[in-house]
Amino acid sequence: MQQDNNLQQNNVRQNQLYYQPYNIVYQRKKPEIKLSKRDLIFALIFFAVSFLIVDFVFFHGFNLGFTITFFVLFSVITVYLFDVNTKVSAFSYICGAMSLAGAVTFSIYNDFLVNTIMLFLVCSLFGIYVCSISGSIVNNQGSFRMLGEVLKQTFVSPFSNGADIAGAYTKVMSKNKLSKNVIIGIALSLPVLIVIIPLLAGSDAAFENLVKIVLKNIGKYLLEAILALIVTPLIILYAVSKKCSKNKKKNEKSKSKGVIQPPVTISFLSVISVTYVIYLLSQLAYFFSAFSGILPKGYSYSASVYARRGFFEMFAICVINMVIIALANILTKRVKGKIPVAVKAVSTFILLFTVLILVTAMAKMKLNIEIFGLSKNRLLVSVFMVMIFVIIIFYIIHIFLPKVSYMQPIIVICSAMFIALSFSDIDGRIARYNIDAYNNVKIDSIDVEYINSLSESSLVYMPELAESSNHKVARQARIIIGKNLNKNYRGIFDAENKTDKITYKNNNDFRSYNFSKVRGEKALADYYNNLSDDGREKIANQYNFDNGDFYYDEERDIYESYSGDYCTEYAYDEKKDDYVFLHRYNIYDGYDESDESA
């Protein structure tokens, strides 16, 4: 009987429809962004900072105005984001301090290339500092992942949260009656100001002049306000996104699992290593006769050939090797959570070979500078080679001691090196080195035009070159001095006043102030004023020669002036230390109008 009942129940169950339950997926809810009246106040402050950026930087360049603006932005962001409950590492404070130090260089030197690199460096250090004080990154991550997190928090997070931040501001403004009342009060005051301001201007001359200045520049101020309205949302998105990232879990270290099997990595690196071993053996041709057959027939080994050949190829090999080793260690699968010993060994060999190549490249560069003089590219490349050496050393340590942070010391040391270099007056040092090397006959010639192509720091040395015993060098320097003087003092080389002294006038706008520019211009003005009347006339004549209807024949070192059918020539007279009339001839039949010569 019991069996029949069970069989009947089973038949009923089979005839019933079976509904599979839904798979409920719980999505992680995005944290709500909550703002307060404090955020509204800071929004107005951010607008003021944006106006400062537009006026001080966009309209007056990267000079003292940029330094002031960056310090203001740094202070405002720090006050807005700083929280005593957020643990900030010493590394982050160092990055912040170095960003401030880097910003100071913009008001001292006016080197476009160095300032461009410095701008990138200052922004990067500032980004690390901001992400740290806001708790957006894991400070104890000492690997490349920290840089990736900073980039994400700088360029991705602000815009991904843009809609939520805008909604949060709308919500807090709708709840805050004070903000509405303030806007209404400002709107009501405008008609009254239209009546009051003209009356005040009529009662006081100083205020009247101020109103005239404002009205004269009203178009510029409106343009700056519009640009500030464009910049302000960017600053707000960046600042608020950092503030709202404090609730994330910290101290989560992401470990790379890798995707490449260790044998693949070992084989790849081994082939590269064997190639480098063969390269090292080929170098024995320079030292042992048994290997001399490797060298081409008639090959002459000299210092100049050694200095010129292969430097940039070596530098490229150093960079490629670092990229290869970094990718190999990132992408290789771990064995029991660790990089295989064979991968570490081959990686270390390649890195040590890179150090050898780097030392050789540095020796080539040193010799190159000693033979051909110093240039900005040679100096910067030398500094970057030292930075690569620092990176290699810390990465080798990291390979064998994975827990040791390598990114933080690399950032601090390399940043400190470049900031210190930028404070050393790079262009001035280059000019000084080349002039001393030329005067001491360490280099055969000096490129005056190259020195002039540097920033205003090099102008300080033009007076010294203008007094050179080599009249071609002196001529080039006088041309440069004349062009710079005429740019700042229009008409000083006119016939009536070309020997008069000049009064140096600095740009009174502090936003455009730059120390090296002021120093260089003042040095030329002082040099010109300290010359005798004949000396000032020589500068004026040289300027008129090179900016008038004259053609300079560099091969013959003479000036030619064409007028009608005649050509007049002027040649350099060593006794008079000036260009004097040589002769004048008919350009068609060669007939000399004068037999006078220098």
Side-chain angles (χ1 to χ4, degrees), residues 245-511:
S245 63
K246 293 182 179 180
N247 296 325
K248 292 182 178 180
K249 291 183 179 180
K250 296 297 179 293
N251 300 323
E252 294 178 355
K253 289 186 178 181
S254 56
K255 294 184 178 181
S256 176
K257 295 181 180 179
V259 295
I260 300 177
Q261 295 293 338
V264 175
T265 303
I266 295 171
S267 302
F268 172 76
L269 295 180
S270 297
V271 172
I272 304 297
S273 300
V274 170
T275 304
Y276 288 155
V277 170
I278 295 173
Y279 173 84
L280 292 175
L281 290 175
S282 72
Q283 302 305 293
L284 298 177
Y286 297 106
F287 308 104
F288 299 101
S289 59
F291 293 88
S292 60
I294 298 175
L295 291 172
K297 290 183 179 181
Y299 180 83
S300 58
Y301 181 81
S302 65
S304 60
V305 171
Y306 174 80
R308 283 183 178 274
R309 180 167 181 175
F311 168 79
F312 289 104
E313 290 80 359
M314 288 184 169
F315 186 74
I317 289 173
C318 292
V319 176
I320 291 171
N321 285 350
M322 291 174 59
V323 173
I324 288 174
I325 297 304
L327 291 176
N329 283 269
I330 293 169
L331 300 177
T332 302
K333 286 187 175 181
R334 271 50 175 167
V335 178
K336 296 181 180 180
K338 297 180 179 180
I339 298 175
V341 176
V343 175
K344 291 183 178 181
V346 183
S347 298
T348 303
F349 170 78
I350 293 177
L351 288 176
L352 291 176
F353 174 82
T354 306
V355 171
L356 177 62
I357 290 293
L358 196 62
V359 171
T360 306
M362 292 172 72
K364 283 177 174 285
M365 180 57 73
K366 179 177 180 295
L367 192 58
N368 197 312
I369 292 172
E370 290 176 351
I371 296 174
F372 304 105
L374 189 61
S375 70
K376 187 182 298 183
N377 289 340
R378 291 167 188 164
L379 178 61
L380 291 178
V381 169
S382 300
V383 173
F384 289 144
M385 285 193 293
V386 176
M387 291 181 182
I388 291 175
F389 181 78
V390 172
I391 294 171
I392 291 174
I393 295 301
F394 278 100
Y395 200 79
I396 290 176
I397 295 173
H398 173 71
I399 288 175
F400 292 96
L401 300 172
K403 293 184 179 180
V404 176
S405 300
Y406 66 90
M407 186 55 67
Q408 293 176 357
I410 286 174
I411 291 174
V412 171
I413 294 174
C414 293
S415 299
M417 286 175 56
F418 192 81
I419 292 172
L421 178 69
S422 65
F423 271 106
S424 66
D425 187 10
I426 296 175
D427 289 346
R429 298 287 182 183
I430 292 172
R432 181 74 272 166
Y433 176 90
N434 288 337
I435 292 172
D436 290 342
Y438 177 73
N439 291 336
N440 296 325
V441 200
K442 291 183 178 180
I443 56 177
D444 298 331
S445 61
I446 185 167
D447 191 342
V448 180
E449 289 298 331
Y450 173 75
I451 293 178
N452 181 50
S453 69
L454 301 173
S455 65
E456 286 84 353
S457 294
S458 64
L459 292 179
V460 177
Y461 303 97
M462 284 301 158
E464 181 178 348
L465 292 173
E467 301 298 324
S468 173
S469 58
N470 185 328
H471 81 272
K472 289 187 177 181
V473 172
R475 166 190 162 271
Q476 288 179 302
R478 288 198 296 263
I479 293 171
I480 293 168
I481 292 173
K483 287 181 178 179
N484 279 275
L485 288 175
N486 190 67
K487 180 178 67 176
N488 295 321
Y489 310 95
R490 299 289 182 184
I492 64 167
F493 298 136
D494 292 341
E496 296 179 357
N497 59 351
K498 64 181 179 180
T499 61
D500 292 345
K501 292 186 178 182
I502 56 180
T503 303
Y504 175 72
K505 294 180 180 179
N506 181 26
N507 185 355
N508 294 324
D509 194 334
F510 71 94
R511 294 167 294 186

Side-chain angles (χ1 to χ4, degrees), residues 126-139:
F126 179 64
I128 295 173
Y129 167 77
V130 170
C131 289
S132 178
I133 64 172
S134 64
S136 302
I137 61 172
V138 181
N139 289 320

Side-chain angles (χ1 to χ4, degrees), residues 32-37 40 166-181:
E32 183 182 1
I33 296 178
K34 296 181 180 180
L35 301 178
S36 63
K37 186 167 69 173
L40 289 178
Y169 267 105
T170 303
K171 186 181 294 186
V172 72
M173 287 181 68
S174 62
K175 293 181 179 180
N176 196 319
K177 294 182 179 180
L178 178 62
S179 59
K180 294 180 180 179
N181 295 332

Side-chain angles (χ1 to χ4, degrees), residues 14-32:
Q14 289 177 1
N15 293 331
Q16 291 177 342
L17 293 175
Y18 174 75
Y19 296 95
Q20 184 177 2
Y22 291 104
N23 291 326
I24 300 175
V25 179
Y26 294 96
Q27 294 184 347
R28 187 176 179 182
K29 188 177 180 180
K30 199 172 183 181
E32 183 182 1

Side-chain angles (χ1 to χ4, degrees), residues 192-204:
V192 180
L193 290 177
I194 294 175
V195 177
I196 292 177
I197 290 177
L199 294 175
L200 291 174
S203 66
D204 183 76

